[in-house]
Amino acid sequence: MSRERMENIKSVVLVVLVLLSLILTSLLLNNQPQLEFISPATFVPADKQGASKQAKDFVVPDAILFHYGEDRHTKANSSDDVYRILMGQVQNWYFNEFSYYPMTEDKWDSLTRKKLGLELQYNSLIPISVMEQVLTLRDVDQRLTGIDRVWLYYEEADDTVYALFLSTKDQQSFRAKTAVSPKDLRNSYLLFGKNLPEQILKTYKDPQRSPYIVQNKQSFWSVYYLPKKPSVMSMYNYNYLPISRKQLLESYFLDPGLVRQIVERDGTNIYTDGTRSVQVRNGQHLMTLTTPVWQAGDTQMTAYEQLQESVSFINQHMGWIDEFRLRSMDQRTEGSAQIVFRQYLGAFPIISQDSKLIDNIQLNMDKGQVQSMRRSLIDLDTFFGYKEVNVASGADLITYLQENKIDTEKISNIYLAYQLVEQKGYMQLIPAWVVQLEGVYNKIIDVRSAVPKGGKVSGLE
């Protein structure tokens, strides 16, 4: 083939390539692909998944108290039909025109002993931004940051029902107007509690900081209730299902195949994929999750938004296997908080033996994201045995405490709970009194210990 012919072929190929390039360029310019952003990786629920819940499900009163004047009080627990009926009505209430309302000794005495009223009692301080989601509140005073009691009472002088929003932690009280009428209070709500168990109202007053200073004669009382008559509770034996390694890995890691296991000298197992880790201590039924905060979050989140985020996180990671309620929300530094959910059996909280903390879920939030979490690896399955035990009256309990050298003047709260005791192969739930001294120290007393020796206590053995 001559050189001239070869050059002609090269020229033709070059022209064809140029034309193809122009055609492809035109197609790219006129037919852009439809690009989509790749969403962040999400967890696929494990085979065994607990229930999904909403933040509001965890903010409920532990009890409703009914006040009839003349120092007569009754109580509805969350397992009572009266409680459920009344909570359906609470959603229709609204409160407005909040104002600071300092209490004096006389006001407290009148409120607790003489006035008709209704009290929603929570187990801890609930931030006001959370309460605004479960109650209808308007014109809230900015100084009111949290409450543990809502106390409706009838003021005879004004023929009006007011509501007190009380914070034991801050020792503050605020008053609001409410749509509940005196007729509603007397002829509807208080009728619900007429036949409920009567209660002995007890008060605790923090010691004065100085006996020489009187600060406008303001005071704050911690109020708690003890049963007027003996009662009966059940002691349960529960089978439990430990959370399996497979479920643990599937619940907390995107790709369980990338997880490696590290065994420490003390037997602690650490599972990690290089970013997050799950630690399970030897001989304990607890896990601790540590996960990185991937991006700058919102440091201005309200307490309710933080609560929502923590609930959503648990929904996506194993879910809610047993019954829980909000126990506490503590703001630490800006953008960080600790949220604790307490486990319940029916109307009563569960308290772990030897402070093993397998009765709660604790989350640490940072910039609106979960940074770490500690929770139990036990799923209370079904009970296979129970026994009814006697619970002493409030008067007999106080006598028992005094006989055991407990200064009853320093008691700030007493409530019934279930103590969780680990036995060989099962868990035992024993009714117990939790005695709180000066708001700091908790003493757990088996209810069977406080029953008077030789005394007749009503109820079944």
Side-chain angles (χ1 to χ4, degrees), residues 248-290:
L248 202 64
L249 299 186
E250 290 179 349
S251 296
Y252 294 103
F253 295 97
L254 289 170
D255 187 351
L258 298 178
V259 177
R260 61 192 181 96
Q261 181 179 359
I262 303 170
V263 181
E264 300 284 293
R265 288 184 178 180
D266 63 356
T268 297
N269 288 282
I270 300 175
Y271 303 96
T272 180
D273 61 0
T275 53
R276 63 171 46 182
S277 67
V278 170
Q279 182 184 87
V280 181
R281 292 190 178 277
N282 187 34
Q284 294 188 9
H285 301 289
L286 279 173
M287 59 149 284
T288 302
L289 168 72
T290 304

Side-chain angles (χ1 to χ4, degrees), residues 171-186:
Q171 297 200 348
Q172 288 184 329
S173 55
F174 290 79
R175 192 169 77 167
K177 292 184 177 179
T178 175
V180 177
S181 69
K183 182 179 179 181
D184 290 337
L185 182 65
R186 281 193 301 262

